[in-house]
Amino acid sequence: MKPLIEIFIQDDFVSSDEWKEVKKLSNKLFKLLSEPDVIKRIKKVNQPGVSSHKIQEVITHESEKIGFKSEIKGLFSNYKNSKLRPDFHKKIMNTGVIIEVEKGQTVQNNNDLKDFWKCHICEEVNYLFLFVPQILIQNEEDKIKKSKKPYKDVCNHMTSFFEPQNYTNVRGVVVFGY
């Protein structure tokens, strides 16, 4: 399945230099994820009962090619929950981007909203790249019944944060559907 991408950006940052850099990164990452070999590797591990860590391993390889560092510690040191860490981080100008990779608990446990919150409380970043499945089949029953569509649900969740009256310090989110 070819990857999908949905971009959310606050109006005040659409023309900013930092957004131009972030968008370049998202385009590079999307291009890497669109390569047939990468699509094949993701499809192989995006199976019922397989942890999101297997998806993360594929994304690690591709994101490190463009300068992201895996599981950076210390980004949340000003908080009681200082052991939080993103899946990946990259500094961009005076801000940064974190990457979070989700699978089975994306919508059921609101992990997409938790990832947004992590970006919100992290003083060193204002941008989030969020990787979620386009279709989630967790078991045989899901194959028979209607499959879940986390990508669509996550995009719907993020839309609300990018209405001007709801802006936070998260200036932009790029949702990648694998």
Side-chain angles (χ1 to χ4, degrees):
M1 182 177 307
K2 288 187 177 188
L4 299 175
I5 189 171
E6 184 78 27
I7 294 174
F8 301 90
I9 181 71
Q10 292 178 3
D11 294 337
D12 294 346
F13 292 92
V14 170
S15 299
S16 71
D17 289 339
E18 70 184 38
W19 172 245
K20 289 174 187 169
E21 288 300 311
V22 171
K23 191 168 182 194
K24 272 191 227 175
L25 276 176
S26 71
N27 289 340
K28 284 180 185 178
L29 198 49
F30 186 71
K31 186 176 179 188
L32 288 168
L33 295 171
S34 298
E35 292 178 3
D37 177 59
V38 176
I39 291 170
K40 208 180 302 180
R41 288 180 10 230
I42 288 175
K43 183 179 179 182
K44 183 178 178 182
V45 295
N46 188 22
Q47 300 297 320
V50 178
S51 163
S52 66
H53 294 289
K54 294 295 182 185
I55 301 288
Q56 188 174 330
E57 287 173 10
V58 176
I59 303 226
T60 295
H61 182 72
E62 302 310 317
S63 64
E64 286 177 344
K65 288 179 182 177
I66 59 172
F68 279 90
K69 303 276 188 258
S70 181
E71 307 235 354
I72 297 293
K73 296 178 184 174
L75 291 176
F76 299 91
S77 58
N78 294 338
Y79 296 96
K80 288 182 181 179
N81 46 3
S82 62
K83 292 183 181 177
L84 284 174
R85 56 183 184 220
D87 292 335
F88 307 94
H89 171 263
K90 180 173 174 64
K91 186 162 179 50
I92 303 287
M93 303 172 115
N94 294 323
T95 185
V97 180
I98 60 173
I99 293 177
E100 294 292 342
V101 180
E102 298 298 343
K103 189 172 179 255
Q105 300 301 312
T106 306
V107 178
Q108 293 90 318
N109 284 355
N110 294 316
N111 279 0
D112 60 331
L113 299 176
K114 183 184 98 182
D115 295 334
F116 186 92
W117 169 78
K118 280 168 68 174
C119 187
H120 172 66
I121 68 168
C122 186
E123 295 172 6
E124 297 182 39
V125 302
N126 297 100
Y127 297 94
L128 170 65
F129 289 178
L130 185 55
F131 287 81
V132 300
Q134 292 178 44
I135 296 172
L136 179 63
I137 299 172
Q138 292 182 307
N139 53 47
E140 290 301 316
E141 189 177 313
D142 283 349
K143 284 183 182 178
I144 297 166
K145 295 184 339 183
K146 185 179 175 189
S147 302
K148 297 170 186 84
K149 296 185 173 149
Y151 176 80
K152 180 180 167 213
D153 292 339
V154 168
C155 290
N156 287 338
H157 288 172
M158 293 302 133
T159 298
S160 298
F161 291 113
F162 291 90
E163 296 293 329
Q165 70 274 15
N166 297 330
Y167 284 171
T168 69
N169 62 326
V170 178
R171 298 172 186 160
V173 173
V174 179
V175 182
F176 295 86
Y178 60 82

